């Protein structure tokens, strides 16, 4: 192993000028070429000491006595700060705002409820203990595991902050028997529901006859509904659809009179939400 300090020289207008600060040059065992770094100091003794410390640190890293610098830096960083950096990179990669928000909320919850303050705190036992107390559905619990693993993979590959996945031993939950059987409402059940629904009856009719999701119906505006055409229909905006794609739904004759009556009573401000104030909780 060779190392030395020196000041760089350059010629300007025929005069040799030395750099103000010292540079260090060293070659570790196994290296084919020497490395050069700016030590950023003007005193020779300080430069020699600083270079010696740098070389010693690199040799200890190569021997596995200490983690590499990227791992040491990440270990000192707060979990929440690393999450913010992860989210920023995902945003730059073009991921949509909804995905980013859900990912950030999931990781923040894991940090708080699993006591992950730094990345060294991430471990399978704490995650399994947390998951055992969750009452959410299987898909949601598996989504948390997937989100955590995506973050860990970023720490390993992008930040080089981890050597291995601390959640590698955690298995996704296999879906078991459904807790209840999904089925369509009977005609009698629909009639009973509409009988007691009051002004909300049109919302239930719309759900029954279009198959729209609750959130999609809630965000409908009058500009999305076309009643004064030969075949009335509604247009689902991409921003409100779960799959983020535009769609159109023909309106059944049973629904049209309700919507026209609402429009006549409330007015048809195109930007107004259709079911504002009556949407069921």
């Amino acid at each position: 192993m060779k190392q030395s300090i020196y000041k760089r020289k350059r010629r300007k207008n025929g005069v040799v000028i030395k750099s103000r600060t010292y540079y260090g040059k060293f070659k570790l065992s196994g290296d084919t070429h020497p490395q050069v770094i700016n030590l950023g100091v003007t005193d020779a003794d300080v430069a020699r000491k600083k270079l010696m410390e740098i070389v010693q640190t690199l040799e200890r890293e190569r021997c596995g006595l200490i983690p590499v610098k990227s791992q040491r830096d990440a270990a000192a960083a707060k979990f929440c700060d690393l999450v913010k950096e992860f989210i920023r990179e995902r945003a730059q990669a073009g991921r949509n705002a909804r995905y980013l928000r859900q990912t950030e909320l999931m990781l923040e919850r894991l940090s708080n409820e699993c006591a992950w303050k730094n990345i060294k705190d991430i471990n399978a036992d704490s995650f399994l203990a947390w998951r055992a107390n969750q009452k959410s559905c299987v898909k949601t619990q598996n989504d948390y595991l997937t989100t955590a693993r995506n973050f860990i993979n970023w720490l390993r590959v992008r930040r080089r902050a981890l050597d291995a996945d601390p959640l590698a031993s955690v298995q996704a939950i296999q879906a078991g028997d459904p807790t209840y059987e999904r089925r369509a409402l009977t005609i009698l059940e629909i009639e009973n529901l509409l009988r007691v629904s009051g002004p909300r009856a049109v919302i239930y009719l719309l759900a029954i006859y279009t198959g729209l999701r609750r959130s999609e119906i809630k965000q409908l505006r009058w500009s999305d509904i076309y009643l004064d055409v030969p075949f009335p229909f509604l247009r689902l905006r991409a921003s409100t659809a779960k799959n983020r794609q535009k769609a159109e739904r023909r309106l059944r004759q049973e629904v049209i009179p309700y919507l026209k009556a609402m429009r006549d009573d409330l007015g048809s401000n195109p930007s107004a939400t259709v079911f504002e104030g009556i949407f069921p909780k």
Side-chain angles (χ1 to χ4, degrees):
M1 188 269 294
K2 299 179 180 180
Q3 63 183 57
S4 60
I5 63 168
Y6 67 97
K7 286 189 174 183
R8 282 185 171 177
K9 297 179 181 179
R10 63 187 179 91
R11 188 177 293 276
K12 184 177 181 180
N13 298 327
V15 178
V16 176
I17 302 175
K18 289 184 177 181
S19 61
R20 190 176 67 86
T21 59
Y22 280 92
Y23 285 76
K25 187 176 184 179
F26 61 92
K27 183 178 179 182
L28 302 179
S29 299
D31 287 350
T32 56
H33 300 286
Q35 299 183 52
V36 176
I37 57 172
N38 186 350
L39 297 170
V41 295
T42 57
D43 184 89
D45 291 335
V46 175
R48 289 190 189 93
K49 183 177 180 180
K50 188 172 181 179
L51 179 61
M52 185 180 298
E53 290 173 350
I54 292 172
V55 171
Q56 286 177 345
T57 298
L58 291 174
E59 287 184 324
R60 288 165 65 84
E61 287 179 2
R62 290 194 178 185
C63 293
L65 299 178
I66 61 173
V68 297
K69 186 175 185 303
S70 59
Q71 293 181 1
R72 298 198 304 272
D73 291 345
K78 293 181 179 179
F79 187 93
C80 58
D81 292 337
L82 291 169
V83 168
K84 285 181 171 52
E85 184 179 343
F86 173 65
I87 295 298
R88 278 197 301 271
E89 288 201 10
R90 284 292 185 270
Q92 291 169 359
R95 300 308 296 266
N96 65 64
R98 182 179 181 184
Y99 162 83
L100 296 173
R101 183 57 180 158
Q102 288 179 339
T103 298
E104 187 172 15
L105 288 173
M106 284 183 173
L107 291 173
E108 286 178 353
R109 184 179 178 190
L110 289 174
S111 174
N112 294 330
E113 298 182 12
C114 295
W116 294 350
K117 303 306 178 188
N118 304 93
I119 61 171
K120 63 181 177 57
D121 298 327
I122 305 173
N123 62 82
D125 289 341
S126 60
F127 181 85
L128 289 171
W130 171 82
R131 190 170 71 177
N133 291 321
Q134 300 308 303
K135 309 226 181 282
S136 52
C137 68
V138 168
K139 180 185 180 303
T140 298
Q141 294 184 45
N142 286 339
D143 285 346
Y144 272 92
L145 178 59
T146 299
T147 298
R149 281 193 170 142
N150 288 341
F151 177 59
I152 289 169
N153 188 58
W154 174 81
L155 288 171
R156 293 178 61 197
V157 176
R158 178 70 178 83
R159 287 295 306 267
R160 300 185 183 278
L162 290 171
D163 289 327
D165 181 357
L167 300 184
S169 62
V170 179
Q171 300 295 318
I173 302 173
Q174 299 301 314
D177 295 332
T179 55
Y180 59 90
E181 180 184 357
R182 295 180 181 272
R183 63 173 179 81
L185 293 174
T186 66
I187 297 298
L188 179 60
E189 288 171 334
I190 292 174
E191 291 175 349
N192 290 336
L193 173 63
L194 298 179
R195 188 177 299 114
V196 298
S197 297
R200 292 196 296 271
V202 63
I203 300 173
Y204 300 129
L205 279 174
L206 202 59
I208 291 167
Y209 287 128
T210 65
L212 293 181
R213 297 177 176 87
R214 182 182 191 278
S215 62
E216 294 169 341
I217 295 175
K218 185 177 182 179
Q219 298 179 78
L220 282 174
R221 298 174 182 166
W222 284 112
S223 58
D224 302 324
I225 297 178
Y226 299 81
L227 298 174
D228 301 319
V229 293
F231 300 100
F233 68 98
L234 64 81
R235 180 171 290 146
L236 193 63
R237 285 169 280 133
S239 60
T240 63
K242 185 176 182 180
N243 62 3
R244 292 298 182 258
Q245 294 182 4
K246 295 179 181 179
E248 292 184 359
R249 296 286 190 276
R250 284 280 298 274
L251 293 173
R252 290 279 294 262
Q253 289 301 319
E254 292 86 345
V255 182
I256 296 170
Y258 284 92
L259 291 173
K260 285 186 174 181
M262 289 182 63
R263 184 186 63 180
D264 294 341
D265 290 342
L266 303 175
S268 56
N269 178 5
S271 62
T273 304
V274 176
F275 303 114
E276 183 69 32
I278 64 169
F279 201 82
K281 297 180 182 179

